[in-house]
Amino acid sequence: MSSYLVFARPGTAVPDEGSVVLNDSFAPLAFAFPVFWLLFNRLWLEALSAILILGVALLMVASASFYWPGVVLGLAVSLITGLEGRNWRASALLRRGWRFADLVEAGDAETAFDIHTARAGAAPEQSRRLRPALQAGRMEAGANGAIGLVPVERT
């Protein structure tokens, strides 16, 4: 079972059919194709950074004396994107006005959304009681919190 983060669109009631359900785990496609994955998920600044760093890594690989450091740098970009890409996407959704609605453990995204719908529709008080640990954690941290390795400043 995986953890899924549910985000609600700005100004809508929870649950909403337009909600985004993110799997909070390693992203293999982000590891294999970091730049394309970042561009597909509209993470423009992260994609630009990845392009620049991978360009430097390519220049390093072209030089015989810097071949292995260039390979390690390219793999590091892929690994960091695979590990933190979904957290970057969650952070981008929060910046765009989406609100964090729920944290669900389920086997797949559809089941996670169904569980979220049942929690939000059946017992809002119970749903609120399940979130205190998360509110103290990374998604609802204080003014200087973080999502994964990315610092997030909230107002």
Side-chain angles (χ1 to χ4, degrees), residues 93-114:
L93 287 171
L94 290 173
R95 282 192 312 265
R96 292 178 187 137
W98 291 64
R99 68 181 192 283
F100 176 73
D102 204 358
L103 173 69
V104 180
E105 289 209 18
D108 60 12
E110 290 179 19
T111 306
F113 185 73
D114 291 342

Side-chain angles (χ1 to χ4, degrees), residues 6-28:
V6 181
F7 291 92
R9 289 186 296 182
T12 59
V14 175
D16 177 32
E17 288 297 323
S19 296
V20 173
V21 180
L22 293 178
N23 188 353
D24 191 22
S25 66
F26 182 77

Side-chain angles (χ1 to χ4, degrees), residues 5-6 20-21 27 29 36 46 50 54-55 57 75 78-80 86 88 93 95 97-98 100 110 115 124 127 135 143:
L5 305 171
V6 181
V20 173
V21 180
L29 286 176
F36 294 119
E46 292 86 348
L54 288 173
L75 284 174
S78 292
L79 184 63
I80 289 171
R86 297 196 184 174
W88 293 340
L93 287 171
R95 282 192 312 265
W98 291 64
F100 176 73
E110 290 179 19
I115 292 170
S127 179
Q135 289 176 353

